[in-house]
Amino acid sequence: MLTIARLQTRAWKCFREPLDLDLEAKAYAIFAREVGNDARSNFLGKSSLAEAIDFCLYGRLAKEFKARKKGWISRGEKTGEVALTLSDGSIIKRSQSLTASERLWYFPPGSPEKGATQDEAEKAILDLVGLSEEDFAATRYFRQGEMSRLVTLDPGPRLDLVAGWLRLQAVQDCEDDAAEALRELARRRDDASAEAA
């Protein structure tokens, strides 16, 4: 199974200083506390840290940054970058400057000279990861607010939400069709029993 072995950022949102995290192959929950104020945990970069992975893989930014795509670069900096090293040694890097277009690189393990950029890199990343942008969001990563929404929903809407995340509509349609076929068979059996009597 392919996992993220290292996350590196430079001038990524609130993480102005370079950040370099070695990661193990396990699930992570992110929490934060402000130094000197144990009661404060908001606006300390928890969501930004997780969003860095989504951005590096797919170029997806949270809603507040979509209109101003370069707005994720830390205030006062001219360039920013997010890089992932995967467990197979592949490296994915996405960078931006205030004066140039976003750049994407993919370097395969052991053969950086055979790397790809831009559209070719996007295709290589999709092939490597095996999850589309939507699949990633539905199976490996929950965006901010989605877990609290899941916990507070009533059971019916909660099931619809999870079904949407996992794209279960086709399975639900199949279940409905099978139930209808079963009802039809039961009706025919009952009709046949009534005629035989």
Side-chain angles (χ1 to χ4, degrees), residues 4-17:
I4 298 169
R6 174 175 278 168
L7 167 64
Q8 296 170 292
T9 69
R10 186 174 47 79
W12 169 254
K13 295 188 176 186
C14 62
F15 297 103
R16 182 181 210 153
E17 297 299 319

Side-chain angles (χ1 to χ4, degrees), residues 133-180:
E133 183 177 339
E134 294 79 21
D135 292 336
F136 180 74
T139 59
R140 297 286 185 254
Y141 163 72
F142 294 99
R143 289 185 212 126
Q144 183 171 356
E146 289 195 20
M147 288 308 291
S148 61
R149 188 170 149 219
L150 175 68
V151 171
T152 59
L153 278 176
D154 288 331
R158 181 181 304 133
L159 181 59
D160 292 341
L161 177 66
V162 173
W165 284 348
L166 302 178
R167 291 197 184 123
L168 296 179
Q169 187 59 48
V171 174
Q172 290 173 329
D173 291 346
C174 183
E175 183 180 283
D176 292 343
D177 291 346
E180 180 59 36

Side-chain angles (χ1 to χ4, degrees), residues 22-194:
D22 289 323
L23 302 169
E24 297 176 26
K26 64 182 183 182
Y28 284 90
I30 303 169
F31 68 96
R33 292 287 182 260
E34 184 178 46
V35 175
N37 183 359
D38 287 344
R40 181 170 181 255
S41 65
N42 289 336
F43 300 102
L44 297 176
K46 299 182 302 289
S47 297
S48 294
L49 191 60
E51 288 168 3
I53 296 168
D54 199 23
F55 173 72
C56 191
L57 289 173
Y58 303 105
R60 182 169 32 204
L61 290 166
K63 289 177 189 171
E64 70 267 22
F65 292 97
K66 284 183 181 175
R68 50 188 182 99
K69 192 139 172 104
K70 298 174 186 175
W72 63 264
I73 299 171
S74 299
R75 186 174 293 137
E77 298 297 319
K78 294 181 179 166
T79 63
E81 177 179 285
V82 178
L84 298 174
T85 302
L86 305 180
S87 57
D88 70 348
S90 300
I91 297 173
I92 300 165
K93 188 184 298 186
R94 197 175 291 265
S95 70
Q96 177 79 57
S97 79
L98 296 177
T99 58
S101 298
E102 183 181 291
R103 300 288 299 160
L104 174 64
W105 293 271
Y106 165 72
F107 302 102
S111 301
E113 69 282 355
K114 294 182 181 176
T117 61
Q118 301 307 95
D119 291 343
E120 289 180 22
E122 281 187 16
K123 184 180 179 327
I125 292 165
L126 285 176
D127 290 345
L128 178 70
V129 175
L131 295 171
S132 70
E133 183 177 339
E134 294 79 21
D135 292 336
F136 180 74
T139 59
R140 297 286 185 254
Y141 163 72
F142 294 99
R143 289 185 212 126
Q144 183 171 356
E146 289 195 20
M147 288 308 291
S148 61
R149 188 170 149 219
L150 175 68
V151 171
T152 59
L153 278 176
D154 288 331
R158 181 181 304 133
L159 181 59
D160 292 341
L161 177 66
V162 173
W165 284 348
L166 302 178
R167 291 197 184 123
L168 296 179
Q169 187 59 48
V171 174
Q172 290 173 329
D173 291 346
C174 183
E175 183 180 283
D176 292 343
D177 291 346
E180 180 59 36
L182 185 59
R183 282 191 294 276
E184 177 61 22
L185 288 172
R187 186 190 61 74
R188 288 181 188 175
R189 181 200 63 213
D190 293 346
D191 289 351
S193 295

